[in-house]
Amino acid sequence: MPAASSHDFIDRCAWAVDLSPEQRERVKRVTTVREYAQGDYVCHKGEMAEHWLGVVEGIVKITTVSPSGKSVTFTGVPTGGWFGEGAVLKSEIRKYDVMALRRSRIAFVPRDTFQWLLDTSLPFTRFLLMQFNERLGQFIAAVEYERLLDIDSRVARAVSSLFNEHLYPSLGNTIEISQEEIGLLAGISRQRANQALKVLEQQGLVRVDYGVIVVLDLEGLRQYGE
DNA sequence: TCATTAAATTGTT
DNA sequence: AACAATTTAATGA
């Protein structure tokens, strides 16, 4: 079914540029793409991980349930981001839930192909190492942000975590995201997201346009509230 | 290119 | 949650 042209997004992935034509061909052949509506779950905690997942278009959020029972967002993953490598690598179950914040298309790379790339491509292995390192950084930031009760700070974190030049290189300093989606991401109401974004805009950290957020001071955004 | 309209998003209560 | 205002995108003259 998948004509080569329908999987062109593979060519634009940072981890694919250094693959051999044969490797890329195999990836394109076995990769499937599924579409999800807003609010749909891409995968659930506890499921066996059979695929490495990429956001072809849209945005998803990765959440876990804290011991106290409340849902806490680990991070959002925008277009161009890949996730789920941890569970695939170790043939484990998913450690989190993944929900689409808007209509999104998700790519599924089968586990055996993922393993094969790891075995045969040094550039791919390097990419994965980088990805793990960046995610570790995000995790550390998330642990700190857990104790931040201030809503404005949490929104600042949620937005700044979307801007990572290694994990999501295609993003630049602008992201198309509505305030409702910010609310979903940060676990707050759209109204409160609107309020928080105004505060951040007044501080000169972001510019809020129609359906768009432009980051003016990424470092300031990351450190906001500390 | 401009005007009209519908849909999405934002501002406010 | 509801409503009004604003912006965008699509349509057709």
Side-chain angles (χ1 to χ4, degrees):
Chain A
M1 174 272 269
S5 59
S6 72
H7 281 47
D8 282 350
F9 69 90
I10 296 284
D11 296 318
R12 292 191 289 276
C13 293
W15 55 266
V17 292
D18 288 322
L19 297 183
S20 70
E22 297 75 29
Q23 288 171 322
R24 220 179 301 179
E25 158 60 23
R26 169 168 171 180
V27 171
K28 286 184 183 179
R29 197 175 58 243
V30 300
T31 297
T32 57
V33 176
R34 287 197 58 187
E35 190 153 338
Y36 295 86
Q38 178 178 104
D40 282 354
Y41 278 91
V42 177
C43 57
H44 289 95
K45 186 174 179 176
E47 289 173 349
M48 193 55 77
E50 301 293 346
H51 300 87
W52 188 41
L53 307 176
V55 181
V56 180
E57 191 180 352
I59 182 170
V60 301
K61 70 170 176 180
I62 297 179
T63 62
T64 60
V65 180
S66 73
S68 54
K70 65 174 181 181
S71 171
V72 51
T73 299
F74 169 53
T75 185
V77 180
T79 300
W82 290 79
F83 60 93
E85 60 277 350
V88 182
L89 197 56
K90 296 181 287 183
S91 297
E92 286 184 341
I93 56 172
R94 300 273 182 217
K95 299 291 185 4
Y96 39 71
D97 297 310
V98 179
M99 192 188 87
L101 293 184
R102 73 167 75 117
R103 192 170 186 77
S104 301
R105 286 188 304 154
I106 307 298
F108 288 71
V109 178
R111 185 173 60 200
D112 59 344
T113 302
F114 177 85
Q115 299 273 10
W116 172 73
L117 285 174
L118 211 48
D119 290 339
T120 58
S121 171
L122 186 55
F124 186 79
T125 304
R126 282 207 201 91
F127 172 88
L128 217 56
L129 212 48
M130 175 281 293
Q131 169 126 341
F132 270 115
N133 192 43
E134 292 298 324
R135 287 245 183 275
L136 177 60
Q138 282 195 326
F139 180 73
I140 290 170
V143 170
E144 294 174 348
Y145 132 109
E146 251 284 80
R147 64 180 163 74
L148 296 180
L149 299 176
D150 175 35
I151 300 289
D152 296 342
S153 305
R154 286 169 48 185
V155 170
R157 275 265 191 259
V159 173
S160 66
S161 71
L162 296 177
F163 289 89
N164 180 305
E165 57 175 329
H166 300 291
L167 295 175
Y168 324 120
S170 59
L171 223 47
N173 67 334
T174 302
I175 188 168
E176 279 190 35
I177 188 169
S178 72
Q179 298 182 2
E180 171 153 25
E181 290 161 349
I182 294 287
L184 288 170
L185 190 57
I188 58 179
S189 69
R190 176 178 72 78
Q191 292 91 328
R192 192 60 185 81
N194 176 275
Q195 198 177 326
L197 286 171
K198 277 182 174 167
V199 171
L200 298 177
E201 186 169 40
Q202 276 190 329
Q203 308 272 330
L205 299 173
V206 300
R207 186 154 51 78
V208 181
D209 291 335
Y210 186 82
V212 168
I213 292 177
V214 182
V215 174
L216 303 175
D217 180 0
L218 184 53
E219 269 315 301
L221 202 59
R222 288 195 170 125
Q223 292 170 4
Y224 186 87
E226 290 181 20

